[in-house]
Amino acid sequence: MVLETSSNVVDRVKSVKRDSMTNVTSSIISKLDQRLFSNPAHPIGIVKNLIYDRFRKFKNSNDEDFQCFDNFDPVVSVEENFDVLCFPSDHVGRSRSDSYFLDNRTLLRTHMTANEPEYIKQGHRAFLISGDVYRRDEIDSTHYPVFHQLEGVRIFDDQSITKTVGTDFPSPFNEHFAINYDYETQRGQDKLALRHVTTDLYFKLMGLMRHLFGENTPIRWQTCFFPFTTPSFEIEILYRDRWIEVCGCGVLQQSILKDCNAPVNGWAFGLGLERLAMILFDIPDIRLFWSQDERFLNQFQLEKITKFVPFSKYPSTFRDMSFWLNESGDFDANSLFDLIRQKAGDMVEDVKLVKNY
Ligand code: FA5
Ligand code: MG
């Protein structure tokens, strides 16, 4: 569903009738209308626009015309976020400990993929979408319960597949791993078509990564698993001696595309905008993106990647805390993290379980 106005979402979420699944907190609700990705001078908006611009350029090269959208409602149904995308019924994302539920039928989307099938159904064949996503998570410098994803989708009609598939196909994955087309093919999928789709995906994303990070930054692809793609990959960037996962992607399940009345060959990817921005701007802590401090906000300029200059923070202090749990055993750590965030906001940098007696 496309969003009408952002304050609308906050009112709507506040007025939802609570039930046994409701766990959305007021500090999360306060994030719903911030729309960092709509500010073209905020690092999240700058990276988003750089990627949109890069994909819009394909229009001039006889390639698909990628359309860009970012006005989606973050409130989705359980069906949109999980069922349509083939998540098994016992997937941990469906639980109250991992996701923010409004009630037993609706939640704050945990990934932008939730908004894709609706657009494919409407007939879009090449598009980028971005927005805020919500996951109950730990508290540290790389995890925050709200972050931003930019996703891309391309669906090939049967003609464009047969037209472009040659016999002499480059194998894009030879450097890091060989993709086994026999093993990875979805049941019934045409192997040549699969090769075409994965190769297009690989070159589009590698082109983007090189465009953002230059020729010399080490980048690697790993195979992984998503319920809605086969094969599936993750892209990692080496930053300060650590491999940071910046993207998940793969070849869309044909069953999903069939249910959308679309041709059955297509790819999708999802990029983490904070992760990209942290590497590009040298921003050390994910919480800084939410800062209202002018010393943060005034550092950035439209369409420019600049290096972040740290400013003084509060002097750090450490606190130990111990407590008894009641006997019902229904404690989960994410609820404690939410409680701490609720009371102390982003002043708390890190929470660690030291001992469990
Ligand atoms: C997904 O959310 C998939 N929907 C991506 C996808 C789309 C796969 C389409 C295939 C086809 P994942 O949970 O890995 O996948 O998240 C995607 C990216 O979001 C990650 O690579 C990472 O860059 C970013 N990300 C994930 N969790 C966090 C977090 N807690 N904080 C900041 N960024 C995160
Ligand atoms: Mg991942």
Side-chain angles (χ1 to χ4, degrees):
M1 198 200 297
V2 175
L3 196 61
E4 314 90 76
T5 63
S6 40
S7 60
N8 226 329
V9 197
V10 173
D11 291 345
R12 204 153 26 90
V13 171
K14 276 188 184 158
S15 66
V16 160
K17 194 163 174 295
R18 301 173 70 90
D19 66 21
S20 60
M21 280 302 272
T22 312
N23 63 353
V24 57
T25 62
S26 54
S27 75
I28 287 295
I29 294 176
S30 74
K31 297 289 192 291
L32 280 164
D33 58 357
Q34 303 224 355
R35 298 176 60 81
L36 299 183
F37 55 91
S38 296
N39 177 354
H42 188 281
I44 298 294
I46 296 172
V47 176
K48 180 199 86 172
N49 285 333
L50 284 175
I51 299 170
Y52 278 7
D53 285 347
R54 160 95 194 168
F55 272 81
R56 286 197 185 106
K57 293 227 166 69
F58 293 127
K59 190 181 179 180
N60 307 325
S61 61
N62 266 344
D63 209 327
E64 209 60 51
D65 175 12
F66 280 87
Q67 294 188 302
C68 305
F69 307 96
D70 56 17
N71 208 20
F72 295 97
D73 192 340
V75 177
V76 296
S77 65
V78 170
E79 206 183 348
E80 290 168 313
N81 200 81
F82 301 115
D83 299 347
V84 170
L85 296 169
C86 309
F87 279 76
S89 55
D90 60 352
H91 193 277
V92 59
R94 293 178 183 263
S95 68
R96 290 178 84 233
S97 64
D98 276 51
S99 303
Y100 287 104
F101 285 86
L102 271 55
D103 58 25
N104 62 11
R105 291 201 334 264
T106 51
L107 72 159
L108 301 179
R109 66 185 161 214
T110 64
H111 55 168
M112 287 305 294
T113 318
N115 291 119
E116 285 175 10
E118 189 185 328
Y119 255 56
I120 299 173
K121 257 188 209 152
Q122 288 174 16
H124 294 281
R125 295 293 173 254
F127 58 91
L128 303 185
I129 57 179
S130 51
D132 37 342
V133 301
Y134 297 78
R135 294 184 193 175
R136 298 189 76 196
D137 221 328
E138 55 209 270
I139 300 178
D140 66 26
S141 64
T142 58
H143 290 85
Y144 201 75
V146 194
F147 60 98
H148 297 84
Q149 288 184 333
L150 186 154
E151 297 218 349
V153 172
R154 183 175 186 190
I155 293 160
F156 299 81
D157 59 41
D158 297 338
Q159 269 179 345
S160 73
I161 285 273
T162 43
K163 208 167 49 190
T164 24
V165 172
T167 44
D168 181 22
F169 233 67
S171 178
F173 298 102
N174 50 9
E175 210 183 311
H176 308 297
F177 58 85
I179 169 169
N180 182 337
Y181 289 98
D182 293 327
Y183 163 72
E184 292 281 7
T185 308
Q186 293 173 38
R187 192 183 297 165
Q189 185 165 29
D190 180 74
K191 270 189 220 160
L192 222 55
L194 176 74
R195 264 187 94 155
H196 178 77
V197 175
T198 42
T199 304
D200 188 63
L201 172 67
Y202 180 87
F203 285 116
K204 286 278 184 311
L205 285 176
M206 271 314 241
L208 173 68
M209 294 298 156
R210 290 287 167 229
H211 176 68
L212 294 175
F213 294 103
E215 288 305 317
N216 298 324
T217 304
I219 298 173
R220 72 179 183 194
W221 287 59
Q222 314 259 44
T223 45
C224 70
F225 176 81
F226 296 108
F228 37 92
T229 51
T230 304
S232 307
F233 310 101
E234 275 167 0
I235 307 175
E236 297 179 330
I237 307 262
L238 190 63
Y239 176 65
R240 298 196 168 163
D241 298 329
R242 269 179 61 207
W243 287 101
I244 312 276
E245 182 207 318
V246 295
C247 180
C249 60
V251 177
L252 282 166
Q253 297 292 1
Q254 302 204 341
S255 61
I256 296 176
L257 292 172
K258 271 186 202 146
D259 288 346
C260 296
N261 294 321
V264 293
N265 291 300
W267 53 243
F269 67 79
L271 292 157
L273 287 175
E274 274 83 353
R275 299 263 175 97
L276 294 175
M278 286 173 90
I279 302 173
L280 289 167
F281 292 85
D282 253 337
I283 295 175
D285 192 312
I286 199 164
R287 285 163 287 213
L288 279 164
F289 291 107
W290 298 92
S291 172
Q292 304 286 342
D293 194 318
E294 289 181 357
R295 290 171 299 177
F296 179 77
L297 293 171
N298 290 344
Q299 288 197 22
F300 306 103
Q301 301 157 44
L302 299 180
E303 296 171 17
K304 288 221 167 59
I305 304 284
T306 46
K307 290 296 170 201
F308 169 69
V309 183
F311 50 90
S312 67
K313 289 200 286 185
Y314 302 97
S316 60
T317 65
F318 293 85
R319 292 281 181 275
D320 283 344
M321 199 168 79
S322 32
F323 51 91
W324 295 99
L325 299 176
N326 68 21
E327 281 166 10
S328 70
D330 60 1
F331 169 81
D332 71 83
N334 282 342
S335 297
L336 177 65
F337 299 151
D338 263 343
L339 182 67
I340 292 172
R341 213 180 280 289
Q342 189 89 327
K343 296 288 175 207
D346 293 344
M347 296 271 282
V348 178
E349 287 201 1
D350 211 347
V351 182
K352 278 202 181 74
L353 175 66
V354 187
K355 240 178 206 161
N356 209 353
Y357 290 99

